[in-house]
């Protein structure tokens, strides 16, 4: 990475940006990590490298469902859209039968 970035005018600054992100965000971009495809393709930019590393980290992380706080749980189960449509249709049919066609 460093050799590729050394060719640009602000290569040192970009390398510092990558190393800072690795330290602060814990991105899997340290010495043991695979080099992103961007470097293999000859694209040497801190933004592109950080984006590739962040996408890899996000894809590898298993997202657990967020627990619902007790005070926000429903007291009664919500009706499914099909059940709600059935109730609405039955109500309309009863109204039409008692009042005539709408």
């Amino acid at each position: 990475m460093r050799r590729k970035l050394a060719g640009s005018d602000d290569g040192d600054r970009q390398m510092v940006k990558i190393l800072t992100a690795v330290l602060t965000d814990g991105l899997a971009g340290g010495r043991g990590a695979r080099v992103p495809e961007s470097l293999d393709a000859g694209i040497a930019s801190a933004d592109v490298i950080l984006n590739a590393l962040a996408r890899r980290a996000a894809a590898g992380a298993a997202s657990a469902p967020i627990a619902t706080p007790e005070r926000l749980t429903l007291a009664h189960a919500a009706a499914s859209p099909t059940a709600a449509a059935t109730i609405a249709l039955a109500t309309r049919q009863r109204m039409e039968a008692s009042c005539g066609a709408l």
Side-chain angles (χ1 to χ4, degrees), residues 1 22 27-35 53 56:
M1 235 186 307
V22 168
L27 294 175
R31 292 181 181 187
R34 275 184 34 212
V35 177
L53 291 172
R56 251 195 218 149

Side-chain angles (χ1 to χ4, degrees), residues 5 14-15 29 40 50 52 58 74 76 78 89 99:
L5 291 172
Q14 289 189 38
M15 190 64 195
D40 294 340
L50 291 175
L74 296 175
H76 304 285
L89 180 60
C99 301

Side-chain angles (χ1 to χ4, degrees), residues 9 20-22 30 34 38 47 76 87 100:
D9 293 336
T20 302
V22 168
R34 275 184 34 212
S38 57
D47 293 330
H76 304 285
I87 292 169

Side-chain angles (χ1 to χ4, degrees), residues 86-102:
T86 303
I87 292 169
L89 180 60
T91 304
R92 181 181 173 126
Q93 289 172 345
R94 273 183 277 151
M95 287 178 64
E96 286 178 348
S98 64
C99 301
L102 295 176

Side-chain angles (χ1 to χ4, degrees), residues 59-85:
S63 59
I66 299 172
T68 305
E70 182 70 29
R71 60 188 170 87
L72 296 179
T73 57
L74 296 175
H76 304 285
S80 68
T82 306

